[in-house]
């Protein structure tokens, strides 16, 4: 992602948000922000926002403001190595996609349970953030899950017109640069944030990740049966990462969840493009954000909807 491909980064967090530091499951200090209403209500959900790979949590602050203004409590945070959770030195820093889900997101689930006792816990996951929702051991705590463009970055699922260009950028050039620096210097190049070496390895070879029991007969992530959430996947037809095949490949791993997929063409909302990153830009507050809000509130979509809504059946696919 370059600066021209991503909407302007959100440089500030609303003053209502309170910063926090939460230890991950292994003790690593994670930084984030919390939006909390004054009076506790047992029926009010707390929403954890899982970021895309190497986007800072501040990018989602206006979306968090929107959820808060509509009566929800919200937690945003950065995975280890990113933004508020960046170490003093990135050189040699160890972190992986598995760490981000199994340790970091797990810590946020535990924080939500501790800080908002008795309240439902919902999750919004962007890109890898949807995968992270399936990796935490306490995934059964998730009541409702909304994913946006969530997939495994499996190169064969990329949009055909851009597949080889994307493969060269993300699966060849990014690992090569990472090998030279010991981490990916994304900020210097205008691509994402600086990114740990292990995460780059996961991105560039996703078919080998998440295997707890490696086998020559089986490739790809383990299923996520512990997540028994009401799941809505939102995807855009002009997202080169989030093709239908990519979105539904990930959905197939949520074997314990009720899964719906809303696929939207930009023209459905009077736009020429949205892509992989722009859903969370404030210009889509009126056109797209109410879809996520409605699902978080009721686990159903009513009224006139853009796009095509379908239910997914079946279990995990292989790569």
């Amino acid at each position: 992602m370059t600066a021209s491909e991503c909407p302007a980064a959100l440089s500030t967090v609303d003053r209502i948000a309170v910063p926090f530091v939460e230890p991950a499951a292994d003790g690593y200090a994670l930084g984030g922000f919390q939006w909390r209403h004054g009076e506790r209500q047992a029926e009010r959900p707390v929403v954890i926002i899982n970021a895309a790979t190497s986007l800072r949590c501040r990018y989602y602050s206006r979306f968090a403001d929107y959820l808060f203004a509509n009566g929800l409590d919200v937690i945003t945070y950065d995975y280890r190595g990113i933004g508020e959770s960046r170490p003093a030195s990135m050189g040699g820093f160890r972190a992986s996609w598995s760490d981000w889900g199994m340790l970091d997101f797990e810590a946020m689930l535990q924080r939500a349970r501790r800080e908002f006792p008795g309240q439902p816990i919902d999750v919004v996951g962007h890109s890898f953030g949807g995968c992270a929702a399936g990796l935490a051991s306490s995934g059964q705590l998730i009541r409702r899950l909304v994913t946006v463009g969530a997939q495994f970055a499996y190169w064969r699922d990329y949009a055909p017109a851009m597949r080889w260009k994307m493969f060269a950028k993300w699966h060849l050039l990014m690992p090569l640069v990472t090998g030279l620096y010991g981490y990916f210097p994304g900020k210097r190049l205008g691509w994402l944030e600086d990114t740990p070496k292990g995460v780059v390895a996961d991105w560039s070879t996703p078919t080998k990740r998440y295997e707890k029991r490696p086998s020559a007969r089986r490739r790809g992530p383990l299923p996520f049966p512990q997540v028994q959430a009401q799941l809505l996947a939102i995807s855009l037809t002009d997202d080169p990462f989030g093709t239908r095949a990519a979105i539904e490949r990930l959905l197939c791993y949520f074997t314990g969840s009720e899964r719906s997929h809303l696929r939207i063409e930009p023209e459905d909302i009077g736009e020429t493009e949205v892509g992989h990153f722009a859903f969370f830009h404030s210009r889509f507050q009126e056109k797209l954000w109410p879809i996520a809000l409605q699902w978080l509130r009721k686990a159903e979509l009513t009224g006139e909807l853009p796009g095509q809504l379908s239910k997914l059946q079946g279990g995990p696919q292989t790569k």
Side-chain angles (χ1 to χ4, degrees):
M1 179 181 63
T2 65
S4 62
E5 293 170 334
C6 178
L10 306 183
S11 59
T12 60
V13 175
D14 191 278
R15 285 178 295 176
I16 200 69
V18 176
F20 67 81
V21 176
E22 179 76 19
D26 63 346
Y28 187 87
L30 303 169
F33 299 91
Q34 187 165 287
W35 286 253
R36 184 173 196 160
H37 290 83
E39 296 183 4
R40 177 181 171 274
Q41 295 181 6
E43 69 275 12
R44 176 189 294 130
V46 53
V47 181
I48 303 171
I49 299 178
N50 284 349
T53 296
S54 303
L55 283 186
R56 298 186 65 170
C57 69
R58 288 176 177 264
Y59 181 77
Y60 303 91
S61 64
R62 291 181 186 171
F63 180 70
D65 284 341
Y66 170 81
L67 296 181
F68 180 78
N70 280 278
L72 286 64
D73 294 323
V74 187
I75 292 172
T76 67
Y77 70 103
D78 281 313
Y79 307 118
R80 63 187 64 202
I82 307 297
E84 308 297 319
S85 306
R86 181 188 173 104
S89 173
M90 288 291 290
F93 179 72
R94 298 175 63 87
S96 67
W97 268 349
S98 295
D99 293 335
W100 284 1
M102 295 177 184
L103 301 177
D104 300 354
F105 174 57
E106 172 68 19
M108 294 305 125
L109 285 173
Q110 296 304 325
R111 179 180 181 85
R113 182 164 64 171
R114 183 186 72 247
E115 295 291 321
F116 301 87
Q119 294 180 224
I121 300 174
D122 296 339
V123 175
V124 174
H126 181 204
S127 194
F128 167 76
C131 307
L135 294 174
S137 60
S138 300
Q140 74 278 0
L141 296 175
I142 304 172
R143 180 188 64 161
R144 293 172 188 157
L145 172 60
V146 175
T147 66
V148 178
Q151 31 64 49
F152 284 118
Y154 178 46
W155 69 271
R156 290 184 184 274
D157 286 339
Y158 293 160
M162 301 181 65
R163 182 175 299 153
W164 294 111
K165 179 179 179 181
M166 294 171 67
F167 180 84
K169 180 176 181 178
W170 301 114
H171 299 265
L172 296 179
L173 183 58
M174 185 167 66
L176 178 62
V177 173
T178 300
L180 295 174
Y181 285 86
Y183 69 98
F184 182 66
K187 294 183 73 172
R188 185 179 307 180
L189 298 175
W191 302 5
L192 306 169
E193 294 290 313
D194 293 345
T195 306
K197 182 178 181 179
V199 171
V200 173
D202 286 350
W203 187 335
S204 59
T205 56
T207 58
K208 298 179 181 178
R209 304 304 157 182
Y210 310 137
E211 280 283 12
K212 296 178 183 177
R213 298 181 299 275
S215 169
R217 297 181 179 180
R218 188 176 181 282
R219 303 293 293 277
L222 292 169
F224 306 142
Q226 75 278 15
V227 180
Q228 300 177 14
Q230 296 163 307
L231 194 166
L232 173 66
I234 301 172
S235 67
L236 282 300
T237 59
D238 69 328
D239 177 357
F241 290 99
T243 61
R244 182 180 295 275
I247 300 300
E248 295 188 353
R249 186 182 300 279
L250 173 60
L251 285 178
C252 281
Y253 287 92
F254 286 91
T255 54
S257 298
E258 299 176 13
R259 297 158 291 178
S260 299
H261 181 192
L262 180 63
R263 190 148 179 84
I264 303 171
E265 294 189 20
E267 292 79 6
D268 294 337
I269 57 171
E271 299 286 339
T272 58
E273 61 180 354
V274 179
H276 188 61
F277 299 100
F279 180 97
F280 296 96
H281 194 280
S282 57
R283 74 175 185 270
F284 293 118
Q285 177 172 330
E286 300 297 327
K287 295 181 177 181
L288 292 175
W289 293 3
I291 298 171
L293 178 64
Q294 187 177 156
W295 189 265
L296 294 171
R297 281 177 166 171
K298 301 179 180 179
E300 62 179 1
L301 299 177
T302 58
E304 293 187 12
L305 285 174
Q308 295 182 335
L309 182 65
S310 59
K311 297 281 188 179
L312 189 69
Q313 304 293 329
Q317 303 173 4
T318 58
K319 295 183 179 181

